[in-house]
Amino acid sequence: MALKLNTFSFVVPKKLPCSQSYRRSIIRTKSSPPALMRSTLGAETKDVVTHSMAPEKVEIFKSLETWAEHNILIHLKPVDKCWQPTDFLPESEASEGFYEQVKELRERCRQLPAEYFVVLVGDMISEETLPTYQSMLNTLDGVRDETGASPTSWATWIRAWSAEENRHSDLLNKYLYLSGRVDMKQIDRTIQYLIYSGMDHKLENNPYNGFIYASFQERATFISHGNTARLAKEHGDMKLAQICGIIASDEKRHEIAYVKIVEKLFEIDPDYTILALAGMMKKRIKMPAHLMYDGQDDKIFDHFSAVAQRLGVYTAKDYADILEFLIERWEVEKLIGLTSEGRKAQDFVCGLPSRIRRTLENKDLAYLAKKEGRTVPFSWVFGQEIRI
């Protein structure tokens, strides 16, 4: 799932510290915007950093294969122990009861406001772009699945994580289809556009960056799905609340795994890891659906994010809270033995949550006040005007 995390701006240093080994390993290439995707047209061609991890650091991830087997793969569930989408949907094989169950589902969904479906659809579309997420992980040096069926711990995790995540979009997609409250053709178009557009989160083929990003993103999805569960319950759809809740529990389990990986990197390579964290925060963490487009609204991701912010599903405050949580979890403030560059990066990261909150207080509340009352049409809900 993806939600917009950069709904605010804050001041960061123009130049972060960068170790010499880190700097030497940078290869620069030219990027060009996709030709057909309106969501990315107009993007300026600019330098793109690839393969920024020093080659010798690949050995770190090779050395962690056994550790990952015993500490990361344990956060996966056997397939026969996993829930499946059909566990929460009308039983299609029960010819007599199926139609009655669909009727009951639709009755429950009538109680939900259109704005709720906007955020639920946005969440589902983000989950549907799983092929892009798996492709992204397989660009990371040292951990990618080199054959497509590699038995290494890292490759096993990537495939199994993807398989577990795949159930989320399957379930939400079918539930939304049966609800009758959304325009599935427009939703399907948005999914296809988004997978076509891909995503670029400036990971630089660097697993340090990739696992930091995944730690942040998984916690964000845990929060978002948890809040859609809460809202569904408030509006009386207990089944949908259960669905969103069980998806949130998966996201939490996956978050734990990614956070453990970064925790291990801080343990064995603290200087490079803090530089990577500072670098990712300077670029800001953007969620995977930032190139979302429905064929009509070039700013649909911004508008979806604004609705999510207003409903309290995912907010700019959550961004600061997640960063603060990760800083504490990884004990960033307690790191010792860093280089001067590492200490500067440490100070930058540790001071960022309060800086973000000050920006929110001084800038974004005034901005939101100006937006009060503005509505935009969403194709996902048949062009209904939704307040953002």
Side-chain angles (χ1 to χ4, degrees), residues 180-345:
R181 293 290 307 276
V182 297
D183 187 334
M184 287 305 301
K185 189 166 187 176
Q186 279 300 119
I187 291 170
D188 289 340
R189 283 174 176 154
T190 310
I191 294 166
Q192 186 172 353
Y193 273 123
L194 185 53
I195 294 175
Y196 184 102
S197 294
M199 60 182 182
D200 178 14
H201 297 291
K202 312 294 187 264
L203 303 184
E204 305 170 4
N205 309 99
N206 188 324
Y208 287 79
N209 294 342
F211 290 136
I212 288 168
Y213 173 85
S215 299
F216 206 109
Q217 188 255 352
E218 290 292 282
R219 187 161 182 84
T221 56
F222 161 68
I223 291 169
S224 180
H225 285 301
N227 283 324
T228 54
R230 172 181 56 79
L231 290 174
K233 183 177 180 180
E234 289 176 3
H235 288 288
D237 192 338
M238 302 306 294
K239 177 60 71 173
L240 184 54
Q242 182 186 20
I243 287 170
C244 295
I246 200 164
I247 292 173
S249 69
D250 272 2
E251 304 289 5
K252 181 63 178 177
R253 181 160 48 84
H254 297 157
E255 173 208 324
I256 292 171
Y258 284 116
V259 168
K260 282 174 68 174
I261 294 171
V262 179
E263 181 180 39
K264 187 66 173 179
L265 293 175
F266 268 116
E267 177 187 327
I268 63 179
D269 193 7
D271 209 67
Y272 193 90
T273 307
I274 189 59
L275 289 170
L277 178 57
M280 287 301 294
M281 296 315 303
K282 180 189 176 185
K283 291 178 284 193
R284 303 179 197 169
I285 303 287
K286 293 189 293 187
M287 286 294 104
H290 66 288
L291 297 181
M292 185 184 286
Y293 178 57
D294 66 344
Q296 298 179 16
D297 183 0
D298 290 336
K299 296 184 177 180
I300 192 167
F301 182 65
D302 294 346
H303 295 152
F304 150 61
S305 300
V307 176
Q309 166 92 16
R310 182 171 62 80
L311 296 184
V313 170
Y314 188 82
T315 70
K317 179 181 178 297
D318 291 322
Y319 185 98
D321 289 344
I322 291 172
L323 177 55
E324 195 166 61
F325 168 84
L326 293 175
I327 289 171
E328 182 178 350
R329 179 67 175 78
W330 292 329
E331 298 186 332
V332 175
E333 292 181 339
K334 298 179 181 179
L335 294 175
I336 58 174
L338 300 174
T339 63
S340 61
E341 293 174 326
R343 289 193 298 273
K344 290 176 183 177

Side-chain angles (χ1 to χ4, degrees), residues 104-113 117 175 178-181 237 240:
E104 291 174 0
L105 184 155
R106 291 194 167 205
E107 286 293 329
R108 294 194 305 270
C109 287
R110 283 179 185 169
Q111 309 304 314
L112 294 163
F117 281 101
Y175 198 92
L178 293 173
S179 75
R181 293 290 307 276
D237 192 338
L240 184 54

Side-chain angles (χ1 to χ4, degrees), residues 21-32:
S21 62
Y22 190 89
R23 190 179 295 119
R24 282 196 302 267
S25 62
I26 290 176
I27 301 173
R28 293 194 177 277
T29 61
K30 291 290 184 181
S31 66
S32 57

Side-chain angles (χ1 to χ4, degrees), residues 28-209:
R28 293 194 177 277
T29 61
K30 291 290 184 181
S31 66
S32 57
L36 299 179
M37 295 297 96
R38 290 182 64 191
S39 59
T40 54
L41 285 179
E44 296 181 0
T45 300
K46 55 186 178 180
D47 287 343
V48 174
V49 179
T50 61
H51 304 285
S52 65
M53 184 175 71
E56 61 267 22
K57 290 192 179 293
V58 170
E59 296 303 317
I60 290 177
F61 291 92
K62 289 182 179 180
S63 71
L64 289 175
E65 280 284 346
T66 301
W67 176 87
E69 178 184 358
H70 296 294
N71 292 275
I72 301 305
L73 300 188
I74 60 171
H75 294 291
L76 298 167
K77 286 187 175 182
V79 174
D80 59 357
K81 300 294 183 182
C82 286
W83 60 265
Q84 297 300 332
T86 49
D87 296 335
F88 302 94
L89 296 167
E91 299 175 11
S92 60
E93 66 274 15
S95 56
E96 294 183 3
F98 175 72
Y99 297 104
E100 188 62 32
Q101 291 175 40
V102 172
K103 182 179 178 181
E104 291 174 0
L105 184 155
R106 291 194 167 205
E107 286 293 329
R108 294 194 305 270
C109 287
R110 283 179 185 169
Q111 309 304 314
L112 294 163
E115 61 187 14
Y116 176 83
F117 281 101
V118 167
V119 294
L120 189 65
V121 167
D123 284 3
M124 183 273 289
I125 290 171
S126 304
E127 295 277 9
E128 284 277 13
T129 53
L130 184 66
T132 307
Y133 309 155
Q134 186 169 1
S135 297
M136 180 193 75
L137 290 174
N138 278 325
T139 69
L140 302 180
D141 296 332
V143 298
R144 69 172 60 92
D145 187 343
E146 296 286 359
T147 68
S150 170
T152 68
S153 298
W154 298 118
T156 299
W157 168 262
I158 291 171
R159 293 195 304 271
W161 170 81
S162 300
E164 291 193 354
E165 290 276 334
N166 184 61
R167 299 167 303 143
H168 302 170
S169 59
D170 280 355
L171 176 53
L172 291 174
N173 190 307
K174 291 182 175 71
Y175 198 92
L176 286 164
Y177 174 79
L178 293 173
S179 75
R181 293 290 307 276
V182 297
D183 187 334
M184 287 305 301
K185 189 166 187 176
Q186 279 300 119
I187 291 170
D188 289 340
R189 283 174 176 154
T190 310
I191 294 166
Q192 186 172 353
Y193 273 123
L194 185 53
I195 294 175
Y196 184 102
S197 294
M199 60 182 182
D200 178 14
H201 297 291
K202 312 294 187 264
L203 303 184
E204 305 170 4
N205 309 99
N206 188 324
Y208 287 79
N209 294 342

